Each structure stands twice: as C-alpha cells, then as structure tokens.
Amino acid sequence: MGSTVSFEGSITALAIFMLVNSITPGPNNLMLLHGSIKRGFWACRWHMLGITLGVTIMLWLSYWGMAALVVSFPAVMLIIKVLGTLYLLWLIYQMAKTNFTTIINEALLQEQQRQQAGESVIEVKKSFGELPLSFGQALLFQWLNPKAWTMTVVAPSLAMFHAGKPWLDNYALLAMCAIINLLSISCWAAGGHWLRKLVHLPRVMRVIHALIVLMTLYCALTLWL
C-alpha cells in the first residue's frame, strides 16, 4: 500500500511570503543592484543563481527539520547574526570605495571593443568578495544572511506536504519558491543594468551609490532591531 499524502497550510500564502521576502530590499538585492550597475545584468547571472540555489537548499533542509533545530537553539541564530553583520560591514567598505563612473565607463568601453572585434564576452577577473559575487560565494553567503534564514525557517510552516519522504514530498513547493526567488532578484539586477544609462551624470551616480551603501548599512543594523 502506498503512503497517504496529506497537505497542510496554503500554497498561496507560501508564494506571497516568498515573493515579499525575495523582492523587498535586503543584502542580496542590494548587492545585485550594486553589481549590475558595475558590470551589467549578464555579469550577475552566477550571483543570482547562487542566491537562488543557496536559499532553495536551506528551504529543503528546513522541510527536513532544520527549522525546528534553529528555533530550539537561539545561540545558532545569534552566531549567524554576528557573522552576517561582520561580512556586511566588510562588504559595505568594499562598496563604498567603488567608483561607479570609472568602472562603468571601462566596462562599456571593453564591451564595445569586443563587439567591434566580434569577440565573445570575457569574464572580468575579480578579487574575493567583489560584486557581483561568484556562484559559490553567493551560495555560501546565504548561510550568513539572517533574512534568508528567516525566510527558509518560516516557509515550511506555511505549506507542507506529508507522505513520509521529506526529501521528495515538497519538491514542487521548492521549485515554486526557487522560481519566485530567481524572478524577484532578477528585477534588481535588471534595475541596476538600466541605471548604467545614467553614467553620463556623475553626480546622479554618486547619489545612487551613496544610497545603495546606506541601505546596505541599514540592513546590517536592522539585524539587531
């Protein structure tokens, strides 16, 4: 006899929850905005995929019971907050010393030269932590991102299938959450790519840059509010 599949919660509630948490400002989206202004939308593709896969893995583990483990040991979340805050502060420093206008002009010039020469786009070598992040760095950052933890810990309580196989029961929900997350963060990368058009307005770019840095700093501070 096959196991009986039962469902509790609301798929609609889970979808709305994932959408709101994925598309609202947070460390991931602000980093993508910053990185796409510097290098363009396509250069952020691995950063976006790393975020989505990282969040999906954490959500998958939460359906296994990781959510209960984190709730049972508040010290775990405290450690995550401390490490996440330290990383964000270091990242804010790296962001603050960036010269948007110079980097964008250099990137656009290189793209134009490659197009004229008929060459494919070559990945720009970056130092560790430089935005946009690599696939692996973006994936690992989710484990230090309290917003990602909050999202993945709460999600299983909103909708869950039960059939005795937690690693298979909720694959459809995981796929839905992954698609919502990827589409949401892509909006921020697309927005950053569009803002590159303002590179001929250095003062405007400096204001945008300052706002991104301040918003990221605010995200770091709100972890403790």
Side-chain angles (χ1 to χ4, degrees):
M1 295 178 62
S3 57
T4 301
V5 178
S6 61
F7 175 77
E8 63 181 33
S10 167
I11 294 178
T12 301
L14 176 61
I16 294 174
F17 176 78
M18 290 299 299
L19 176 62
V20 170
N21 280 273
S22 296
I23 206 167
T24 51
N28 283 326
N29 289 333
L30 291 172
M31 285 193 287
L32 281 173
L33 181 63
H34 190 277
S36 60
I37 291 175
K38 287 173 57 181
R39 302 296 181 188
F41 180 87
W42 185 245
C44 294
R45 64 192 185 280
W46 293 115
H47 189 160
M48 291 187 286
L49 290 173
I51 290 172
T52 297
L53 182 59
V55 169
T56 303
I57 290 174
M58 293 171 68
L59 183 57
W60 175 59
L61 292 174
S62 287
Y63 275 108
W64 262 37
M66 184 180 69
L69 180 65
V70 173
V71 172
S72 301
F73 296 95
V76 174
M77 185 55 72
L78 177 61
I79 293 173
I80 293 169
K81 283 185 178 181
V82 171
L83 294 177
T85 301
L86 291 175
Y87 180 79
L88 282 177
L89 291 176
W90 175 79
L91 187 65
I92 290 166
Y93 168 73
Q94 299 296 323
M95 294 168 67
K97 67 180 186 179
T98 298
N99 186 323
F100 264 164
T101 304
T102 300
I103 291 176
I104 294 172
N105 282 327
E106 290 178 351
L108 291 175
L109 179 60
Q110 290 174 358
E111 290 173 8
Q112 184 179 11
Q113 290 174 342
R114 291 186 191 116
Q115 288 176 358
Q116 292 175 349
E119 298 176 3
S120 58
V121 176
I122 301 173
E123 292 291 338
V124 178
K125 290 186 177 180
K126 307 187 300 293
S127 59
F128 177 80
E130 183 179 347
L131 297 173
L133 297 179
S134 67
F135 175 81
Q137 291 170 0
L139 189 154
L140 292 175
F141 171 67
Q142 304 318 304
W143 296 88
L144 297 180
N145 184 359
K147 185 177 181 180
W149 275 95
T150 301
M151 181 166 56
T152 56
V153 165
V154 173
S157 66
L158 299 176
M160 179 183 291
F161 286 98
H162 298 277
K165 297 179 180 179
W167 58 93
L168 292 176
D169 295 346
N170 297 286
Y171 70 92
L173 297 180
L174 292 175
M176 179 190 73
C177 291
I179 292 171
I180 291 174
N181 179 259
L182 184 58
L183 293 177
S184 298
I185 62 178
S186 295
C187 295
W188 286 80
H193 186 90
W194 182 86
L195 288 173
R196 303 177 95 203
K197 297 179 180 180
L198 304 178
V199 67
H200 63 286
L201 302 172
R203 291 184 180 179
V204 175
M205 295 305 295
R206 283 195 290 270
V207 171
I208 293 172
H209 185 203
L211 287 174
I212 295 174
V213 171
L214 290 174
M215 288 175 68
T216 308
L217 178 60
Y218 176 75
C219 286
L221 295 176
T222 53
L223 299 180
W224 301 95
L225 298 180

